[in-house]
Every structure is written in structure tokens, then in C-alpha cells.
Amino acid sequence: MTDFLGPAVRLRHRSALVLTVAVVAGLAMFCWPLLSHGGVGTSAHTTDAPFVFLVTLPVLILIVLAELSSGGLDAKALALLGVLSAVEAALRPLGAGTGGIELVFFLLVLAGRVFGPGFGFVLGSTSLFASALLTGGVGPWLPFQMLASSLVGLGAGLLPGRVRGRWEVALLAGYGVLAAYFYGLAMSLFTWPFLAGSTALDFLPGAPLGENLHRFLVFTVLTSTLGWDTGRALTNLVAILLLGPAVLTVLRRASRRAAFSR
């Protein structure tokens, strides 16, 4: 198949700008403990910052979703988004996160690849939100899960577009592995500041960047990378290698029938 399909969500200049700002701001919300070292009064506000971000991040996500929707999410794309979000929500409880086995991300990667970065970003948010409602996983962590998932879908849509065949499946499988570790790293950054002071590896307010970075890397390797993240990476790798070609064919057929154009 040599045809190149247009994105399901068209990004106008303003939409692209809003999305870029949101990505930068969202990454800053994840990384703030590593950026807050050594300043006057830093430690005085470290207990406030996580809770400020818990309020700010949902607003940021809603602004981006509203902008992308107004910029090019027509009825066909909306219907497709609803179907894929429902499928994602149904897939998530199958693994229940046991040993890092999560089937929700491989479909997100494939859909972001076929339907473009804007659709991938929106699907990342809606699929995690829908699955959280289904599994009872609603909590202060949900907006951060939604943003991390959205960045995974966005990145899949930004991969080189002219790779096809076996090379495309290999590219997506490699991206799925990296995306799994990125998601785990991001969520470790979310939880880490809330554990400040409980162990020797937790966030130390006001400490130099090098010290906190070392603490975090050891923390995430021991608590997430070697277990959950590796299980998630292997799940993505196997699922994309085995199911990727067939799922890509189905999604591209749906895209052609919906007649998405650039």
C-alpha cells in the first residue's frame, strides 16, 4: 500500500501552537522537581506545587482538546474517536496492569500512526479517561496519565510517514518500547514529589539538580523501570509485531472510507 492518508484531526497554525505550548507546559509540570533546585524559598513551595498542578493540568488538557475539536474534528473523526476510545477502555481491564501488561498503548500507537498527531493526542486523553471510568481508576493521577498517554499518541503521529511494510512495523514496535518507558518515567515523576522525606530516594526540596536527579533515577529504576515499565514495553513490542500489520490495514481502510484529507 503506497497511498498516504490525511490526518483525522487537521492541525491549523493556531491549533499547532496551542498544542506545542501545552506539551511544553505539561512536560514542565512533570519535571518541576528537577527544575526547582537551589532557589530562594524553593522548599517553602514544594508542598504546594503538586496540588497546584493537579488543578492546572486538567484545565490545560481541556483547552487543547477544545482547540483541536474546533480545528478539525468533524463528525466522522468524532465517531471514530468514540469507537477507538471504547475499544481502548475495554482492552485495559484485560491485563489489569498485572506485571505491566497493558494492552491500551499498542492500539494508541497504531491509531496515532494512521490518523495523525492531533488525533493521537486526543485519543490518548479520551481512552485513558474512559478506561479510568470503567475500572474505577479516577483520582488525582488521572490528568497526568491522560497527558502522558496523549504524548505517546502524539509522538506516534509524528514518526516518519513514508516508511511502510516490515520497516514500518519495526519502527512502531521500537517506538512502542520507548513509549512504554517514557510513560513509566513520567508517572514516576508525578508520584515522586508526594513521597518527599519518607525514604532516602525521595524528592529532597531545595537539593541540587544532580542530587535529586540521582535520587529520582534510582527511585524509578527500582520501583518502575525494572518491573512495570519493562512489562509494558514487552507487551507493546509483542502486540505490535503480531497484530500491527492487521490492525494497520483495518485502520487505514477505515480512514479511506471516512475520506480524511490533508
Side-chain angles (χ1 to χ4, degrees):
M1 185 65 63
T2 58
D3 54 327
F4 298 98
L5 305 171
V9 178
R10 294 178 296 277
L11 292 179
R12 303 175 300 176
H13 292 300
R14 191 180 72 174
S15 300
L17 178 61
V18 171
L19 184 56
T20 301
V21 171
V23 168
V24 174
L27 289 175
M29 290 182 187
F30 275 115
C31 297
W32 73 267
L34 301 178
L35 303 176
S36 64
H37 59 92
V40 177
T42 296
S43 59
H45 295 287
T46 50
T47 55
D48 301 335
F51 300 99
V52 172
F53 294 148
L54 287 178
V55 176
T56 305
L57 186 57
V59 176
L60 180 69
I61 294 174
L62 288 175
I63 291 173
V64 177
L65 295 182
E67 176 60 32
L68 293 178
S69 298
S70 65
L73 189 62
D74 59 19
K76 293 177 291 186
L78 186 61
L80 185 61
L81 178 67
V83 170
L84 289 177
S85 297
V87 173
E88 292 272 49
L91 284 174
R92 196 176 189 189
L94 295 181
T98 303
I101 300 175
E102 289 184 290
L103 296 173
V104 67
F105 291 103
F106 96 93
L107 181 57
L108 173 62
V109 170
L110 298 177
R113 169 66 172 177
V114 173
F115 299 114
F119 188 90
F121 186 94
V122 177
L123 180 62
S125 286
T126 57
S127 60
L128 264 290
F129 182 75
S131 64
L133 294 179
L134 185 64
T135 60
V138 178
W141 54 84
L142 179 57
F144 289 84
Q145 290 179 329
M146 290 170 62
L147 178 60
S149 179
S150 291
L151 294 178
V152 170
L154 173 69
L158 294 175
L159 292 173
R162 294 189 174 274
V163 181
R164 284 293 188 268
R166 294 179 180 177
W167 289 110
E168 180 182 33
V169 175
L171 174 67
L172 293 174
Y175 176 79
V177 171
L178 293 177
Y181 284 112
F182 163 78
Y183 181 86
L185 188 73
M187 293 313 299
S188 291
L189 268 172
F190 160 69
T191 58
W192 187 50
F194 290 97
L195 304 176
S198 58
T199 74
L201 298 178
D202 295 335
F203 173 54
L204 185 61
L209 172 62
E211 182 177 352
N212 265 332
L213 181 60
H214 177 264
R215 286 168 171 266
F216 172 70
L217 290 178
V218 176
F219 168 81
T220 191
V221 166
L222 294 179
T223 62
S224 183
T225 303
L226 296 179
W228 296 90
D229 298 349
T230 298
R232 188 182 297 114
L234 291 175
T235 301
N236 287 348
L237 178 65
V238 173
I240 293 175
L241 288 178
L242 294 181
L243 303 177
V247 175
L248 286 172
T249 299
V250 171
L251 293 178
R252 286 188 170 123
R253 183 178 296 123
S255 182
R256 285 193 296 273
R257 290 185 176 180
F260 296 128
S261 60
R262 293 187 184 277

